[in-house]
Amino acid sequence: MKYATYLMNSTKKEYMMVGASYPEKIGEYLLILEKESLWNICRDVIYISHSCTTYGYKDVRGYVYKDITETGGEIIHEELKLY
């Protein structure tokens, strides 16, 4: 069973679901969150959680995913040819 992976900032009470692309894009996510959501990766308490309780936390995935889907992932455009 796979669990959702969350990037949590307990200092700012914000989180983002990282999904299946962890850990390949974690640096890219942190850079975007530092610029757009003003996370301070040196001073904020940032951790990764697999069982996330997000009560009271704000979802900031919109800063990373410009087109938000209901699942919180990136839209992958793919063409399938069925024979």
Side-chain angles (χ1 to χ4, degrees):
M1 173 184 278
K2 291 186 178 183
Y3 294 99
T5 303
Y6 295 89
L7 190 59
M8 308 288 294
N9 185 335
S10 64
T11 304
K12 294 185 65 123
K13 300 293 183 197
E14 295 177 343
Y15 77 96
M16 189 194 81
M17 187 174 79
V18 180
S21 52
Y22 169 79
E24 291 85 16
K25 290 188 175 183
I26 197 72
E28 181 182 345
Y29 292 151
L30 284 173
L31 179 64
I32 293 169
L33 288 169
E34 187 175 35
K35 287 180 181 179
E36 302 292 333
S37 187
L38 302 177
W39 284 24
N40 186 336
I41 59 173
C42 294
R43 298 186 188 264
D44 290 349
V45 178
I46 300 170
Y47 62 95
I48 295 171
S49 175
H50 293 290
S51 59
C52 177
T53 303
T54 59
Y55 181 74
Y57 280 58
K58 178 184 172 188
D59 185 3
V60 293
R61 67 183 171 187
Y63 293 119
V64 175
Y65 301 116
K66 299 303 180 189
D67 296 324
I68 298 177
T69 63
E70 291 181 10
T71 59
E74 296 176 271
I75 299 173
I76 300 172
H77 298 283
E78 184 176 318
E79 183 177 326
L80 298 175
K81 293 183 181 180
L82 302 174
Y83 296 98

